[in-house]
């Protein structure tokens, strides 16, 4: 195996572009007198921090380092910075005064403004981007070696987390130094990826002139010395794996295999006097399944959050409905949309126990478009009963991606691409087209209710 010239990432690079570390101790200090703070936070933010921390602590436990405790002041600062990044469509660790959601130029400013005591503590920040769940954010940061360092750093004690559909921000605090190093992938780990593809800023591969490498191995802890370390990587057959060495400030060494690792292979790593092994994923499909699982989880949670918001909006409408403005009857049915009565001309009617509404008067107020193909000729009857017409047409009602097609005088409708049988056909009365309220509205996603005492049809139509 070749002798590898190590490359160094300086503390300056760490501060400006990757994970911010302010006041990181270079010698042992006493633990800071800071008790984790619990303050009021919205349910989603608190749940997100708890889930991210649980995932991270599970990883830390397997690496053999102590669990972190959530600190809501760190979470407060993290949520503020996540909001700043989303509102301004930005990335990075700094903020610019004058922009919306600004709280502090640098990490130290932001955590102090949130009320966190930074005395004798190193403060770190990592950020993952995208509309992802908290667990996936931590997993992405762990797969990024220069960000991984802070997440598994043995002397880390406190954890804060803030996220939205643009950025997931992790703020952490350490007290003291890590006397015993920790490694990742950890000893006995399975399902490890085979490669690293430069998706980190700063990119640890840039100094070596390569675009991809094998999965990067980290040896993390405070190291006063070394400008180099003795290290080796071998596969299960004892063949040596060629690699580069990268030193990250004084807190980590990273071993960067020059080629992608093999699937379903066990590798043994030695750094100084520490030796351990890990096994890569069985195949490409196994790795892709985890990514698919993360995406499906994010999609399901997004839909659940959307439904929760819609239900809150629905309850708000139900609790603030208008009183009837006048006495309604079968020839003048009251129409209430999202709690508010609306006037429609001609009036909605009850015929044979079914509510029919004038086509344009109601659906256009629901934000739907109405079109004829072809335009009708003649009338069906003055009483609403179906009779032949000289040119039978149909009505298309559309809202967003939903469509209902109703044929005049016919007892069927097309909802989307499905044919639906109707008890009552649409008809033309006194030059106005009437359609059955319930089928047409519900097909567009509206909720319909009938109040016989006030002769009112209530429609709740929420933005989907």
């Amino acid at each position: 195996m070749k002798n590898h010239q190590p490359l160094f990432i300086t503390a300056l690079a760490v501060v400006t572009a990757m994970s911010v570390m302010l006041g990181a101790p270079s010698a042992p200090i006493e633990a800071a007198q800071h008790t984790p703070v619990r303050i009021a936070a919205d349910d989603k933010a608190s749940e997100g921090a708890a889930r991210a921390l649980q995932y991270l602590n599970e990883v830390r436990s397997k690496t053999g380092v102590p669990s972190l405790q959530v600190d809501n002041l760190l979470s407060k600062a993290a949520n503020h910075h996540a909001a700043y990044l989303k509102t301004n469509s930005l990335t990075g660790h700094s903020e610019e005064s004058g922009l919306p959601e600004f709280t502090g130029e640098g990490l130290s400013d932001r955590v102090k403004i949130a009320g966190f005591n930074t005395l004798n503590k190193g403060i770190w920040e990592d950020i993952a981007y995208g509309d992802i769940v908290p667990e996936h954010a931590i997993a992405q940061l762990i797969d990024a070696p220069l960000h991984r360092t802070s997440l598994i750093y043995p002397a880390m004690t406190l954890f804060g987390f803030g996220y939205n559909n643009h950025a997931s921000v992790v703020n952490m605090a350490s007290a003291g130094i890590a006397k015993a190093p920790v490694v990742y992938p950890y000893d006995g780990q399975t399902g490890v990826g085979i490669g690293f593809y430069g998706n980190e800023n700063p990119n640890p591969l840039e100094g070596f002139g390569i675009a991809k490498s094998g999965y990067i191995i980290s040896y993390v802890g405070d190291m006063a010395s070394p400008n180099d370390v003795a290290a080796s990587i071998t596969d299960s057959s004892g063949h040596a794996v060629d690699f580069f060495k990268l030193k990250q400030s004084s807190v980590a060494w990273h071993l960067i295999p020059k080629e992608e690792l093999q699937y379903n292979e066990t590798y043994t790593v030695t750094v100084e006097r520490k030796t351990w092994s890990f096994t890569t994923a069985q195949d490409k499909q196994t790795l892709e399944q985890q990514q698919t699982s993360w995406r499906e989880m994010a999609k399901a949670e997004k839909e659940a959050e959307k439904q929760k918001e819609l239900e809150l909006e629905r309850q708000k409408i139900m609790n603030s409905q208008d009183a009837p403005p006048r006495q309604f009857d079968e020839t003048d049915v009251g129409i209430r949309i999202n709690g508010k009565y609306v006037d429609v001309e001609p009036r909605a009617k009850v015929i044979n126990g079914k509510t029919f509404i004038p086509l344009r008067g109601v659906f256009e107020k629901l934000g739907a478009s109405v079109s004829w193909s072809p335009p009708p000729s003649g009338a069906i009857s003055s009483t609403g009963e179906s009779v032949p017409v000289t040119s039978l047409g149909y009505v298309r009602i559309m809202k967003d991606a939903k469509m209902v097609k109703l044929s005049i005088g016919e007892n069927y409708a097309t909802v989307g691409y499905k044919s639906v049988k109707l008890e009552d056909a649409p008809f033309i009365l006194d030059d106005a087209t009437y359609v059955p309220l319930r089928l047409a509205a519900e097909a567009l996603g509206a909720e319909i209710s009938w109040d016989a005492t006030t002769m009112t049809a209530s429609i709740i139509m929420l933005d989907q």
Side-chain angles (χ1 to χ4, degrees):
M1 183 167 55
K2 296 179 181 178
N3 183 26
H4 312 290
Q5 184 67 29
L7 184 73
F8 300 92
I9 285 188
T10 66
L12 178 61
V14 175
V15 169
T16 57
M18 193 266 301
S19 54
V20 179
M21 182 177 67
L22 303 174
S26 58
I29 60 174
E30 293 183 3
Q33 297 301 309
H34 180 87
T35 302
V37 176
R38 308 256 189 306
I39 59 176
D42 67 78
D43 292 341
K44 182 179 179 181
S46 297
E47 180 192 1
R51 288 170 52 189
L53 180 59
Q54 180 179 354
Y55 187 92
L56 177 55
N57 276 340
E58 288 174 358
V59 174
R60 287 177 64 89
S61 175
K62 291 172 182 176
T63 65
V65 297
S67 294
L68 305 179
Q69 289 182 282
V70 70
D71 187 290
N72 280 4
L73 295 179
L74 289 177
S75 289
K76 180 179 179 181
N79 273 298
H80 283 165
H81 190 51
Y84 171 88
L85 295 175
K86 176 181 177 179
T87 301
N88 298 290
S89 300
L90 294 173
T91 62
H93 297 281
S94 62
E95 296 186 7
E96 181 179 339
S97 178
L99 290 181
E101 303 291 345
F102 172 83
T103 53
E105 182 177 345
L107 173 60
S108 180
D109 303 314
R110 295 192 294 272
V111 297
K112 288 177 181 177
I113 289 170
F116 186 82
N117 179 9
T118 61
L119 181 63
N120 291 336
K121 286 185 287 293
I123 310 298
W124 308 57
E125 181 173 85
D126 291 324
I127 305 173
Y129 296 96
D131 189 3
I132 53 181
V133 296
E135 296 89 344
H136 193 190
I138 299 300
Q140 281 193 355
L141 291 169
I142 288 175
D143 279 337
L146 301 181
H147 291 70
R148 172 192 304 160
T149 300
S150 58
L151 296 177
I152 64 173
Y153 187 64
M156 204 69 70
T157 58
L158 301 175
F159 175 90
F161 183 80
Y163 77 117
N164 51 44
N165 59 7
H166 174 73
S168 299
V169 179
V170 177
N171 285 344
M172 292 175 290
S174 62
I177 64 171
K179 297 180 180 179
V182 61
V183 299
Y184 193 92
Y186 53 79
D187 189 27
Q189 185 170 347
T190 59
V192 176
I194 64 166
F196 177 78
Y197 305 98
N199 50 343
E200 182 175 19
N201 182 22
N203 180 0
L205 304 183
E206 285 183 352
F208 303 103
I210 57 176
K212 66 178 181 179
S213 70
Y215 193 84
I216 298 177
I217 302 160
S218 299
Y219 180 82
V220 177
D222 289 282
M223 289 157 270
S225 68
N227 288 328
D228 199 359
V229 288
S232 66
I233 307 172
T234 57
D235 63 20
S236 59
S237 299
H239 296 135
V241 174
D242 206 18
F243 60 91
F244 299 106
K245 299 175 190 174
L246 175 66
K247 186 180 182 184
Q248 182 183 355
S249 189
S250 62
V251 294
W253 279 96
H254 303 288
L255 309 184
I256 305 176
K258 293 185 176 181
E259 304 289 341
E260 288 179 312
L261 303 180
Q262 299 298 310
Y263 285 111
N264 199 29
E265 177 63 87
T266 298
Y267 293 89
T268 298
V269 185
T270 297
V271 178
E272 296 297 317
R273 289 187 288 273
K274 186 175 182 66
T275 298
W276 73 99
S277 299
F278 65 87
T279 302
T280 54
Q282 183 174 353
D283 50 34
K284 182 178 180 180
Q285 183 179 4
T286 303
L287 289 177
E288 290 177 344
Q289 285 174 347
Q290 179 61 72
Q291 295 303 312
T292 299
S293 176
W294 289 131
R295 287 193 293 270
E296 290 177 348
M297 184 185 298
K299 182 179 179 181
E301 292 190 8
K302 191 173 183 179
E303 179 60 28
E305 185 67 23
K306 178 181 176 182
Q307 292 304 318
K308 182 179 178 181
E309 291 174 357
L310 290 175
E311 179 58 25
L312 289 174
E313 187 176 350
R314 177 185 175 277
Q315 290 299 325
K316 183 178 179 180
I317 291 171
M318 294 295 291
N319 294 331
S320 60
Q321 297 192 96
D322 285 352
R326 62 179 181 273
Q327 183 69 43
F328 295 108
D329 57 35
E330 290 190 349
T331 62
D332 178 17
V333 172
I335 301 294
R336 189 164 49 195
I337 298 177
N338 290 347
K340 306 295 182 184
Y341 276 95
V342 296
D343 285 324
V344 294
E345 287 293 343
R347 304 296 187 185
K349 303 179 184 298
V350 174
I351 300 176
N352 297 327
K354 302 293 192 308
T355 303
F356 288 83
I357 56 174
L359 182 64
R360 294 190 181 277
V362 173
F363 287 103
E364 290 178 346
K365 291 183 183 297
L366 293 174
S369 63
V370 178
S371 61
W372 277 96
S373 182
S377 62
I380 292 184
S381 81
S382 61
T383 61
E385 297 179 359
S386 299
V387 296
V389 292
T390 57
S391 178
L392 190 65
Y394 66 81
V395 177
R396 181 188 288 113
I397 306 168
M398 295 194 67
K399 180 173 173 60
D400 302 325
K402 298 174 181 176
M403 181 190 74
V404 180
K405 189 164 68 173
L406 300 162
S407 295
I408 302 301
E410 299 288 344
N411 287 75
Y412 68 87
T414 301
V415 179
Y417 296 99
K418 295 182 180 180
S419 181
V420 178
K421 184 174 177 59
L422 302 177
E423 293 183 6
D424 302 277
F427 60 87
I428 296 175
L429 176 63
D430 298 331
D431 296 327
T433 302
Y434 283 81
V435 296
L437 167 64
R438 184 170 295 277
L439 173 103
E442 288 182 347
L444 294 178
E447 177 185 337
I448 310 298
S449 61
W450 172 254
D451 185 350
T453 60
T454 62
M455 297 295 289
T456 294
S458 292
I459 306 171
I460 294 180
M461 177 69 116
L462 304 177
D463 291 334
Q464 301 291 313

